[in-house]
Amino acid sequence: MGISLSYQDKIAVLDLGDDENRFSPDFLDQLDSHLDEIVGGGAQGLVTTAGGKFYTNGLDLDWLSAHGEQTQWYVGRVQSLLARMLTLPIPTAAAVVGHAFGAGAMLALAHDFRVMRADRGYFCFPEVDIRIPFTPGMAALIQAKLTPQAAVASMTTGRRFGGTDAEAHCLVDATAPEGAVTAAAVELLRPLDGKDASTLGAIKQTMFGPAVQALTGDTADCRA
């Protein structure tokens, strides 16, 4: 199953799929195309979710190992998506229904809000354990969204945070039981209906300007 789009009233619900939902070039193209449709169609909010045990496992390391000469292009492509989600001109919420690792956890952080399943699944930045340092852009994204304490706890340890642990460290905003995560994310966005897109987009560009600049300008340093 690929990426699929549905709506709950004016809130777009984007299902990333039912496998590991890694960021292959095709996956990134599909996601960008759906974002074009969502924003262009006047949606009042976006929830991303998934249908399996993973929200997303992040970088497609198999593709990357087979196309090493395209590393700089690929990392730039991923970081452009993260920057776009960070500044999307509508309210956004990630329904983290399963594991979110590495760049997949970064995608969740790039949303305005996050709801995670309380009893199963991990939110984790494994970079320190797999010997892949963060790029400046990826570090800037994480540090723009987390407290200094949470950034150290998550970025330097490789710790796997379960839902309640992630909520306690403010990696996510709320938790919900199995089967209720996506609905809870939708409900987070309902009170935000009707926000002016141009104003909201401008606010996010200002709030996250340094992180966006780092994400879109550091692809020459492709260590992650």
Side-chain angles (χ1 to χ4, degrees), residues 28-40 77-90 92 107 110 204-205 212 215-216:
L28 295 171
D29 286 345
Q30 287 187 54
L31 191 48
D32 258 332
S33 178
H34 281 300
L35 292 179
D36 289 341
E37 179 182 350
I38 290 164
V39 174
R77 183 78 178 77
V78 170
Q79 293 193 164
S80 292
L81 171 66
L82 296 175
R84 183 178 191 186
M85 186 63 74
L86 192 61
T87 57
L88 208 69
I90 57 175
T92 59
L107 179 63
K204 291 185 183 182
Q205 287 283 353
V212 170
L215 283 165
T216 57

Side-chain angles (χ1 to χ4, degrees), residues 21-25 27-28 56 58-60 74 78 81-82 103-104 107:
N21 306 327
R22 288 187 179 267
F23 296 169
S24 69
F27 179 95
L28 295 171
T56 164
L59 299 184
D60 190 337
Y74 176 75
V78 170
L81 171 66
L82 296 175
L107 179 63

Side-chain angles (χ1 to χ4, degrees), residues 172-205:
V172 301
D173 299 279
T175 56
E178 179 184 5
V181 180
T182 302
V186 170
E187 289 308 309
L188 267 182
L189 298 188
R190 287 198 190 280
L192 304 177
D193 180 41
K195 301 299 182 189
D196 178 71
S198 61
T199 303
L200 181 58
I203 289 171
K204 291 185 183 182
Q205 287 283 353

